[in-house]
Amino acid sequence: MALSNNVIGAINFVAVLLSIPVIGAGIWLSTEADNSCVKILQWPVIIIGVLILVVALAGFIGGVWRIQWLLIFYLVAMLVMIVLLTCLVVFVYMVTVRGHGHPEPSRAYLEYDLNDYSAWLRRRVKSSYKWDGIRSCLSSTSMCPELNQSYRMAQDFFNAKITPLQSGCCKPPTECGYTFINPTYWISPINTAADMDCLNWSNDQNQLCYNCNSCKAGLLANLKKEWRRANIVLIIALVALICVYLIGCCAFRNAKTEDLFRRYKQGYT
């Protein structure tokens, strides 16, 4: 019994360690400018990571100090955590499976279309009452002003690998035919009928293309890229947690078998 309980304690210490990358993934998302403005995924990830930490600590304590009810609580609660983490991983995959950038002639950066992305993500940015807060948050960042510091010449900017968010929010769509003055100042559009965003563009540095659908699409493209990176961490942690949980179940069953065998030998059964 003691040996099996020590095994349970040891593997739950591993589970404690596995909660760290889950919590870390949520904290990393919260530090990214776009995610900090949208506030969708980071808190569910952090909360699940903290819950896994608490459950794993309960299993560790129950294994080391041989507290039976804590071990039972661990087995039930960790199964719930695995199911929740699995649902989160599948959800992130499903909402990020769609959407990609479109190349434009003589441009290194890509253009983004809001309709390419999942309906669930589009609903997070389409309504004006949700977008107003996101827009204010994005406009307060340095992502657009820093382009003016980095690219002085038109060709340097056209050859730049800027982020989807910068491509969508800091400049007008390429198809509008604006003339480059600097990365956030464009004049003389040729084809304003090509897209409604051509009319939404403003040289006001507080406005730019923050009201454009291309900005919303760029935001979703950024979110997709970052969520998929975080999802890789979650998948690795999930697989490891399942292995730890199965080992814990085997150790708990062996501990119960050893206890019954010991009682039988002592004449209690």
Side-chain angles (χ1 to χ4, degrees):
M1 180 76 171
L3 179 59
S4 294
N5 281 334
N6 288 337
V7 171
I8 294 173
I11 62 175
N12 278 290
F13 180 72
V14 175
V16 170
L17 297 179
L18 289 173
S19 70
I20 296 174
V22 177
I23 297 171
I27 293 173
W28 173 73
L29 286 173
S30 68
T31 62
E32 296 298 304
D34 48 353
N35 274 282
S36 64
C37 290
V38 179
K39 297 182 177 67
I40 299 176
L41 186 64
Q42 57 265 47
W43 283 113
V45 173
I46 291 173
I47 290 170
I48 289 178
V50 171
L51 290 175
I52 291 172
L53 174 63
V54 171
V55 171
L57 283 174
F60 176 75
I61 294 170
V64 173
W65 278 275
R66 304 174 190 175
I67 304 174
Q68 189 81 359
W69 68 268
L70 263 184
L71 291 176
I72 296 173
F73 166 79
Y74 155 77
L75 291 173
V76 174
M78 186 56 77
L79 179 60
V80 174
M81 292 300 101
I82 288 172
V83 171
L84 288 177
L85 188 55
T86 302
C87 291
L88 183 61
V89 165
V90 172
F91 168 77
V92 172
Y93 173 78
M94 293 301 295
V95 298
T96 60
V97 71
R98 292 180 55 192
H100 55 86
H102 303 279
E104 290 288 340
S106 304
R107 301 291 190 269
Y109 51 76
L110 301 176
E111 302 278 344
Y112 298 88
D113 187 339
L114 185 60
N115 292 319
D116 288 341
Y117 295 89
S118 68
W120 188 90
L121 279 178
R122 292 200 306 271
R123 285 195 296 270
R124 307 282 76 75
V125 298
K126 264 197 168 181
S127 60
S128 58
Y129 80 93
K130 289 180 180 179
W131 182 249
D132 287 345
I134 297 171
R135 180 189 60 198
S136 297
C137 179
L138 292 175
S139 64
S140 67
T141 67
S142 62
M143 66 173 182
C144 292
E146 70 185 16
L147 292 177
N148 293 330
Q149 303 298 320
S150 302
Y151 307 105
R152 302 286 185 179
M153 305 298 293
Q155 199 57 47
D156 291 338
F157 181 69
F158 296 155
N159 292 331
K161 295 286 189 179
I162 61 177
T163 68
L165 200 54
Q166 289 173 322
S167 175
C169 303
C170 304
K171 63 167 192 61
T174 301
E175 62 184 346
C176 302
Y178 278 87
T179 300
F180 175 95
I181 301 299
N182 68 40
T184 60
Y185 197 92
W186 302 70
I187 61 173
S188 306
I190 296 173
N191 186 17
T192 55
D195 194 309
M196 280 299 297
D197 287 347
C198 300
L199 299 175
N200 288 330
W201 168 259
S202 171
N203 283 317
D204 182 339
Q205 298 299 293
N206 292 319
Q207 296 294 326
L208 299 178
C209 220
Y210 291 118
N211 287 318
C212 300
N213 281 334
S214 63
C215 186
K216 297 175 182 179
L219 172 63
L220 297 187
N222 255 40
L223 291 180
K224 173 184 174 179
K225 181 180 178 181
E226 292 164 4
W227 286 16
R228 288 209 151 188
R229 288 179 179 175
N231 213 32
I232 292 172
V233 176
L234 298 184
I235 290 171
I236 294 171
L238 174 62
V239 172
L241 275 175
I242 291 173
C243 293
V244 165
Y245 181 76
L246 292 176
I247 295 171
C249 288
C250 291
F252 184 77
R253 184 184 63 186
N254 289 340
K256 295 293 291 181
T257 301
E258 290 173 8
D259 188 49
L260 288 173
F261 184 69
R262 177 179 56 81
R263 292 187 180 190
Y264 176 77
K265 287 182 66 176
Q266 292 175 351
Y268 291 117
T269 59

